[in-house]
């Protein structure tokens, strides 16, 4: 029950964040989407032992969060919430890969631990980038950007409708769930038969609702064609944004800046 | 639990994205051709229903753990395969964007594992065959359970293949498979039971809903799409798994050159050649059909591990090679399709 409520508020909050105003918010959603995708591809394309080369990539989410004025703690909390899965799969690496890669002060560091940290860094970067994209753009704008970039229209319509009705369905499900919980004494775990009965009734209600929505749309002139208003611009700031970040990512991908800086400093201090 | 970006390589992610995007475009075309206006709000609301239903955790009997619904097969039964695939894809996109449940690059993999297998394989090939025309509670139960089990097994196997081919996680193939398949067998049974219960309920309360799915391919006509999918699968399997067995020994040309000059590749001192090879070094995504090794010093503890690292073993189970095989195979097929498409437009259509 709590899970539904928390998630329900969450989606709404992301939309609230996306409704703010900042230079990042004012950018065309396509540019933000493309930049995020280039970022993710660059981060993911490293080999499994890369750690220092990944660190400069943090500049993208940090800059975006700062300029857009997003709450960093909220995004951090969301990332930590889903990190158990990545940790669970990555934790096998130290046990399976025992090649000693290097030593720090007498302690042997195996390849498994290096790749474990690399996976965690990758996970952090990619998830933060995705959350920042939605929090600074909003779901509807992302869908319109996808449709302009070539996603087929029936699918975009499906996404928009889904988003529109998620709130309604979540509220309904929460009511059903709460009603069941209030009528069960100490039994907080739902039995399988109860669950199937619950969602069967929810399904029937959903189908009825779909019928009502369809009739309402027909009454308002629906002819099978959903028209989307796309107010998008392709200005200079968008091109500079995408090109600038893309060049930076390519540079960071092929040249390990922290390595050079570290070598420079240590040679100096010798 | 959907796949995260951290465990995917761009080659695998990109290839699966291409496949999923193609499937989305194809399904959208089919849905548009159906021209059923009612489906527009129905798909959206059913997507929200699946989303909400996945939020409810129920306890799995006899284990004490909890699980949640997948939903692909229920969607396929009510909407048909194409619309169901679009709905599952949309639910996964929302989950990835808002809850970071599954990465953006891994979205292609997730859509394929959780959408393609239930909608295009489990539903038409299993459920329809068992419970298609003559409905009865026993048939619905049998069809739903078997379809769910097989759909989830295929999905879990897809996860294993994609993770292993990416080469980021160290989990070996065998251990991963032995871990994933039994768990998803249990999950599949539970999902099948839930699906069967829901479908039976709907069948008894509103039978007209289940009869609303129209039958696509005509009897007696070979479904070319299915043949193509089969060929693609064989190509992927060949490129992926069989490339491991590609010999690590030098090929004919390299062997001949080695006998003559003592080196397998001639080095050039010509400045043009040198600059060209330097450019190629920087741009080659998969040099020598494997992943690029960054310049990191490797410390070996003894002679045996050194030799093992230097000498290529056979079968060369190098994820880089398999990925190269898959990427090369996917690119080749893409090129072939493009050529076929171009040629098709040129040739004048004869009147049928």
């Amino acid at each position: 029950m709590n899970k539904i409520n928390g998630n329900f508020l969450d989606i709404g909050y992301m939309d609230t964040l996306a409704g703010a105003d900042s230079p990042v918010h004012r950018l065309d959603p396509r540019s933000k989407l493309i930049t995020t995708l280039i970022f993710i591809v660059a981060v993911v394309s490293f080999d499994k032992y890369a750690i220092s080369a990944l660190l400069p990539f943090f500049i993208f989410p940090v800059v975006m969060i700062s300029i857009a004025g997003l709450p960093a703690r909220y995004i951090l909390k969301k990332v930590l919430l889903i990190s158990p899965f990545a940790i669970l799969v990555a934790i096998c690496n130290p046990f399976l890969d025992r090649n000693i890669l290097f030593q720090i002060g007498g302690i042997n560091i195996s390849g498994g631990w290096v790749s474990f940290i690399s996976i965690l860094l990758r996970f952090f970067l990619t998830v933060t980038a995705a959350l920042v994209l939605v929090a600074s753009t909003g779901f509807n704008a992302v869908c319109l950007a996808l449709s302009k970039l070539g996603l087929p229209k029936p699918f975009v319509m499906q996404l928009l409708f889904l988003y529109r009705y998620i709130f309604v369905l979540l509220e309904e499900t929460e009511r059903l769930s709460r009603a069941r919980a209030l009528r069960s004494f100490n039994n907080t775990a739902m039995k399988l038969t109860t669950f199937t009965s619950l969602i069967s009734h929810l399904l029937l209600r959903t189908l009825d609702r779909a019928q009502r929505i369809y009739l309402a749309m027909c009454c308002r002139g629906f002819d099978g064609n959903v028209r989307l208003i796309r107010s998008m611009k392709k200005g200079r700031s968008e091109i500079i944004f995408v090109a600038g970040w893309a060049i930076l990512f390519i540079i960071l991908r092929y040249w390990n800046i922290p390595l050079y800086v570290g070598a420079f400093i240590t040679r100096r201090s010798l | 639990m959907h796949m995260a970006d951290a465990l995917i390589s761009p080659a695998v992610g990109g290839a699966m994205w291409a496949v999923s995007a193609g499937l989305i475009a194809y399904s959208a075309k089919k849905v548009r051709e159906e021209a059923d206006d009612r489906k527009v709000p129905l798909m959206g609301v059913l997507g929200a229903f699946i989303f909400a239903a996945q939020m409810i955790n129920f306890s799995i009997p006899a284990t004490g753990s909890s699980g949640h619904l997948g939903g692909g097969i229920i969607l396929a039964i009510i909407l048909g395969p194409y619309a169901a695939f679009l709905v599952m894809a949309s639910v996964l996109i929302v989950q990835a964007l808002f809850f970071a449940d599954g990465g953006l690059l891994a979205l292609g993999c997730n859509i394929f594992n959780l959408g393609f297998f239930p909608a295009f394989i489990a539903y038409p090939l299993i459920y329809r065959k068992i419970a298609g025309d003559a409905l009865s509670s026993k048939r619905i139960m049998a069809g739903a359970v078997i379809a769910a089990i097989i759909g989830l097994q295929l999905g879990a196997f897809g996860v294993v293949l994609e993770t292993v081919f990416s080469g980021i996680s160290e989990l070996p193939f065998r251990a991963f498979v032995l871990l994933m398949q039994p768990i998803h067998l249990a999950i599949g049974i539970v999902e099948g039971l839930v699906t069967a219960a829901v479908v039976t309920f709907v069948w008894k309360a509103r039978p007209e809903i289940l009869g609303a799915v129209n039958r696509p391919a005509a009897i007696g006509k070979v479904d070319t799409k299915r043949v193509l999918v089969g060929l693609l699968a064989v190509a992927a399997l060949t490129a992926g798994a069989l490339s491991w067995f590609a010999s690590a020994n030098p090929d004919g040309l390299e062997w001949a050159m080695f006998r003559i000059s003592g080196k397998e590749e001639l080095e050039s001192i010509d400045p043009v050649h040198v600059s060209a090879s330097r450019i190629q070094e920087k741009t080659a995504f998969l040099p020598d059909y494997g992943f690029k090794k960054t310049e990191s010093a490797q410390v070996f503890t003894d002679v045996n591990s050194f030799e093992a690292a230097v000498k290529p073993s056979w079968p060369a189970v190098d994820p880089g090679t398999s990925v190269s095989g898959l990427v090369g195979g996917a690119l080749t097929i893409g090129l072939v399709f493009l050529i076929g498409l171009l040629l098709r437009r040129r040739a004048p259509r004869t009147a049928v």
Side-chain angles (χ1 to χ4, degrees), chain B residues 55-267:
Chain B
M55 296 276 171
I56 309 179
N57 273 354
F58 53 86
S59 69
I60 303 175
T63 52
S65 61
S66 71
H68 67 81
L69 183 70
I73 306 208
I74 296 182
L75 283 174
I77 294 173
I78 297 181
L79 290 170
Y82 306 111
F85 181 74
L86 288 184
V87 174
M88 270 316 275
S90 64
V91 171
L92 288 165
I93 288 181
V94 169
Q95 285 177 334
L97 284 178
F98 282 96
F99 305 104
D101 193 3
L104 286 185
L105 193 64
L107 202 51
C109 303
N110 288 325
I111 293 179
F112 190 79
N113 296 336
L114 293 164
F116 173 75
F117 290 124
F120 288 115
I121 298 195
Y123 168 69
L125 302 180
I126 299 170
Y127 179 81
R128 276 262 284 274
K129 292 285 183 293
I130 298 179
D133 291 306
L135 288 176
S136 77
S137 337
K138 268 199 211 114
R139 279 195 178 202
I140 293 177
M141 171 78 77
V145 171
I146 298 178
I149 289 178
I150 294 193
L152 269 143
Q153 288 291 294
L154 288 173
F157 194 59
V159 172
V160 172
L161 284 181
E162 285 146 15
T163 312
V164 168
F165 281 165
S166 296
I168 310 282
S169 163
E170 290 289 340
L171 278 173
F173 178 75
R174 185 186 283 184
F176 207 6
V177 164
L178 287 175
L179 191 69
M180 291 283 280
Q181 303 300 121
I183 291 181
H184 285 85
L185 183 67
I187 298 177
I189 294 176
V190 174
E191 167 120 4
L193 291 174
V194 173
T195 306
V198 173
V199 171
T200 313
F201 183 89
V202 171
W203 174 58
K204 291 200 173 129
R206 302 271 195 83
E208 69 270 13
I209 295 171
L210 294 183
V213 181
N214 43 359
R215 317 276 179 236
I219 308 171
K221 190 171 73 167
V222 173
D223 194 2
T224 46
K225 297 296 172 188
R226 208 172 280 184
V227 171
L228 280 171
V229 168
L231 282 175
L232 263 172
V234 170
L237 191 67
T238 315
L242 294 184
S243 67
W244 291 345
F245 294 92
S247 173
N249 292 331
D251 66 15
L253 178 61
E254 290 170 343
W255 179 83
M257 288 191 53
F258 185 71
R259 299 277 289 210
I260 295 174
S261 65
K263 282 184 286 196
E264 285 185 3
E265 275 180 14
L266 276 184
E267 271 154 30

Side-chain angles (χ1 to χ4, degrees), chain A residues 171-231:
Chain A
E171 203 178 309
E172 186 138 2
T173 314
E174 193 195 351
R175 275 204 301 268
L176 284 173
S177 212
R178 199 187 305 144
R180 181 215 73 93
L182 287 173
R183 285 163 179 75
S184 61
F185 292 98
N186 283 325
N187 191 15
T188 45
M190 200 186 288
K191 290 205 321 222
L192 203 63
T193 45
T194 320
F195 174 70
T196 54
S197 167
L198 211 132
I199 61 165
S200 303
H201 283 285
L202 185 63
L203 179 61
L204 282 188
R205 280 202 217 179
T206 308
L207 293 168
D208 278 341
R209 181 185 296 278
Q211 174 73 354
R212 283 199 304 271
I213 295 170
Y214 174 65
L215 289 175
M217 285 165 74
C218 287
C219 289
R220 285 159 180 77
F222 180 55
D223 57 358
N225 217 0
V226 172
R227 294 158 186 81
L228 304 169
I229 303 178
R230 295 200 216 109
S231 56

